[in-house]
């Protein structure tokens, strides 16, 4: 079996510099941000256009991978729930899934939004939304 | 930074035994299948119920990670396209993203569908669909 080790394909450049500033979901007021794709993967962007809807997969590098249950939205009034039934970043494989629209393209940099992931978050995949 | 190394949380048990049998997308006639979640992650399933819509993230262990451009749907009549603009399983980080409905739950096994991934495919994450 191929070793399931991710290679970051790029990184997020965002005005969100800390988790405390970041909204819980993109649709909750997140800003636009840049996906700075590594030049070695730039040719994999061919065909992406301004206005496209994409799914960006990130690696929440600050996550706690030992968490299996959580109170959704960190609100103790919400019942304890398995992380696979939530979007908590704390989970065994802390993959973030972000639905964004492409605002601009500059070479191997994509301006996308809304995106709640913080500055410096590794990007591991980009996929088109299926219709 | 936390090492971006995935830990499989389970495996797919499916009647699809080979890539040749597998449809390209779940909505293209894929069968239901079992997600056999490792018992050590079972408590992270709390709150998932029959009828829920989930996003299952898999690791396409048979993928070619060196592919950056492809002819969509392996049809040479389609123009060469960057893999980040396609759902090709061949991509730098071969993550599969599958929208499924929960059909049944038996302990730490979830019956879900439709699912085009083949028998033995590692599962790395499960998330609820956001509404």
């Amino acid at each position: 079996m191929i070793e399931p080790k991710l290679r970051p394909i790029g990184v997020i450049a965002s005005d969100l510099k800390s988790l405390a500033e970041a909204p819980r979901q993109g649709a909750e007021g997140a800003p636009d941000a840049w996906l700075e794709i590594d030049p070695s993967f730039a040719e994999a962007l061919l065909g992406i256009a301004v206005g496209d809807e994409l799914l960006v997969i990130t690696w929440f590098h600050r996550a706690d991978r030992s968490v299996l249950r959580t109170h959704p939205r960190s609100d103790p009034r919400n019942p304890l729930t398995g992380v696979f039934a939530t979007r908590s970043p704390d989970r065994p494989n802390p993959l973030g899934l972000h639905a964004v629209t492409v605002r601009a393209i500059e070479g191997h940099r994509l301006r996308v939004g809304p995106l709640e992931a913080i500055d410096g978050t590794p990007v591991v995949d980009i996929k088109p939304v299926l219709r």
Side-chain angles (χ1 to χ4, degrees), chain A:
Chain A
M1 178 175 145
I2 295 169
E3 164 119 309
K5 190 169 171 180
L6 298 167
R7 297 175 203 150
I9 60 159
V11 67
I12 289 173
S14 174
D15 291 337
L16 291 175
K17 303 298 184 191
S18 71
L19 294 174
E21 297 169 86
R24 290 179 181 276
Q25 299 298 333
E28 297 177 20
D32 292 347
W34 288 101
L35 306 184
E36 312 260 13
I37 303 305
D38 189 277
S40 62
F41 296 107
E43 63 175 298
L45 300 171
L46 179 70
I48 295 177
V50 172
D52 283 0
E53 293 176 51
L54 299 177
L55 296 169
V56 177
I57 303 181
T58 60
W59 181 257
F60 288 130
H61 56 308
R62 304 286 190 84
D64 179 348
R65 302 183 66 176
S66 70
V67 174
L68 296 180
R69 292 186 175 182
T70 188
H71 295 282
R73 303 183 68 83
S74 303
D75 184 336
R77 293 170 299 183
N78 288 327
L80 203 58
T81 304
V83 293
F84 298 148
T86 81
R87 289 291 188 111
S88 169
D90 296 322
R91 53 204 307 118
N93 292 299
L95 296 167
L97 182 62
H98 315 273
V100 301
T101 301
V102 180
R103 315 290 194 195
I105 300 175
E106 291 183 4
H108 51 89
R109 304 169 73 229
L110 302 184
R111 184 76 175 168
V112 302
L115 188 58
E116 76 279 17
I118 64 171
D119 189 63
T121 300
V123 178
V124 297
D125 201 9
I126 300 170
K127 297 180 188 297
V129 173
L130 295 181
R131 292 290 171 196

